[in-house]
Amino acid sequence: MSENQSVRARADQARARGQEVVAVIGLGFVGTAVAANLARARGKDGQAIFHVIGIERGDEAGRAKAAALARGEPPVYANDPKLAEAIAEAGQKTHNLDGCTELAQVACADVVVSCINLDLVRPVGRADELSVPHQGYAAAMREIGKHLRSGAIVCIESTLPLGLSDRVLYPALCEGAALAGRDLTQDPPLYAYCYERVMPGPGYLDSVNHFWRSYAGIDARSADRAQAFLERYVDVAHFPLWRHKTLRAAEMAKLLENAYRATNIAFIDEWTRLAENAGVDLFDIVNSVRVRKGTHDNMMFPGLGVGGYCLTKDALLAAWGAEELLEVEAALPFSRQALLTNERMPLRARDWLSEHFGGKLEQRTVAIFGLTYRAGVADTRSSPSEVLARGLLERGARVRGCDPLLSNWDEVPAAQLVADPRQALAGADAVVVSLPDAYWRERLPSLLRESPTPPAILVDPWNVLGDACYGELVRRGVRVRVYGRGDIPKPVKPS
Ligand SMILES: NC(=O)c1ccc[n+]([C@@H]2O[C@H](COP(=O)([O-])OP(=O)(O)OC[C@H]3O[C@@H](n4cnc5c(N)ncnc54)[C@H](O)[C@@H]3O)[C@@H](O)[C@H]2O)c1
């Protein structure tokens, strides 16, 4: 029996046992968590509710991901032990998790959940020259449409530009269905948008189904079907579902949520500079303002920047979708400016180092501690450290990167990845603490204390190492700079 026949036979057996068959398309950070979550869902009788088939692309990386899932191993790394446990249990005990690279296998499914990535492309420093190559996504929908069973629903969880569902994806799905001979007037495909809020980190798996979820359908039947599906595995007793009026409203909800957060982060940047110029500590100030619960308690602290796949693009998906698909005005000046402000934030650290070394970074060695986009998360996409490292390399500096979660740093191959923080520090001219991570708070102060030759300058944008460490370094002649802190004295030069 071929791989595809086996996948189909196991799905048929599962359906005969009463399980709902779900195909999850795209086994990246989102799809993996979704597939594992569905596989661990249990009914009142303790039995697995779903039989899950993860479907990836047929390229080398896609084949490796699908094969990992089929073996009972997570296709992506996450520092949430529950992920590997859920996938192993599904692979070895409940046998309700499969992996393959054949999109036609959606023919087995009652529900198709799409977690395909959708990138936004733009030149650095521009928020008005945008493109979203969505043809691949539309082609996948067309292919799904050709094979989708009557009565099955497609639920999209990817973050979509405004209007993509009703202008591109649903028409493509229908086109595929029509090509396969389906009568669209009698039996239109069911389609819903159920955006994902999964949060990488230690609570990765639970953030899919122990969290508020929103959805909308192309029509009432689709919305009802999506609701019934979500209710089977989301903890709706504690996290009630939110039904939006239209697909477009649900698309906008996701984009607004992330644009709001990106704008909050950008807003603090101008006050960071003001605090530095005025000689005050903005961290102390923000802490004092945050006591006003309900209106001010999510004010952001200064930091190196914002990274990851979502906050760096989602506001612009709204602008692109509005202008290109809906052909409506979408100036969005705050949101566009926010993304540009956030993008530039890491380069302030580079500029401080450059200023310290008289404008010359050539041959200076800079050790960067923390390379992923978020503390405790092994995802390096669009990390502020990448922007900083590239900026330093452009100016001729040597970059050493250190991160306990990484064994390679594909985005910045010219940087030297050093596993041992002691080795990273040895002989470094400058140090940047690039993540607000307790891991570095616990280790770096003593390593710096023990280091016979401290760096000439330490930049700690997130205020991680603390005043005791800064005081000690300043006494040893090290220049210490922290974003938003104008209160840290310069070292006294020996007379
Ligand atoms: N990463 C997050 O925390 C997060 C949170 C919420 C929403 N989202 C959104 O979810 C979507 C997916 O994000 P991600 O981080 O998982 O991306 P990802 O790049 O990690 O994963 C996407 C996967 O889809 C696969 N894929 C692409 N085209 C395919 C096709 N035609 N057939 C089968 N597989 C295909 C890719 O090979 C890849 O493995 C994005 O739209 C993202 O904005 C992400």
Side-chain angles (χ1 to χ4, degrees), residues 24-32 55-59 61-62 65 76 101 103 114-119 136-137 139-141 157-160 195-200 204 254 258 308-310 313-314 317 373 379 381:
V24 177
I25 320 292
L27 298 173
F29 283 87
V30 174
T32 297
I55 305 182
E56 253 295 337
R57 283 198 287 227
D59 59 13
K65 286 180 180 179
V76 297
T101 55
L103 212 45
S114 175
C115 305
I116 293 175
N117 55 305
L118 190 58
D119 300 340
Y137 212 131
M141 281 300 121
E157 299 209 358
S158 317
T159 304
L160 300 182
Y195 64 82
E196 190 49 73
R197 282 173 164 150
V198 59
M199 283 299 297
Y204 179 52
K254 174 67 183 173
N258 279 352
Y309 186 47
C310 299
K313 71 169 170 43
D314 287 354
L317 288 180
Y373 88 88
D379 186 348
R381 288 179 292 179

Side-chain angles (χ1 to χ4, degrees), residues 141-220:
M141 281 300 121
R142 211 167 292 119
E143 188 62 18
I144 291 169
K146 285 185 200 161
H147 302 281
L148 195 69
R149 297 160 72 94
S150 174
I153 184 166
V154 175
C155 294
I156 306 286
E157 299 209 358
S158 317
T159 304
L160 300 182
L162 208 52
L164 200 75
S165 281
D166 64 70
R167 292 288 163 97
V168 177
L169 299 188
Y170 190 65
L173 186 70
C174 290
E175 197 185 317
L179 282 173
R182 187 159 165 170
D183 179 350
L184 298 179
T185 51
Q186 294 301 314
D187 187 17
L190 302 181
Y191 177 103
Y193 183 52
C194 324
Y195 64 82
E196 190 49 73
R197 282 173 164 150
V198 59
M199 283 299 297
Y204 179 52
L205 202 55
D206 285 344
S207 71
V208 171
N209 70 331
H210 294 281
F211 210 60
W212 292 271
R213 299 292 304 271
S214 301
Y215 67 99
I218 186 83
D219 50 27

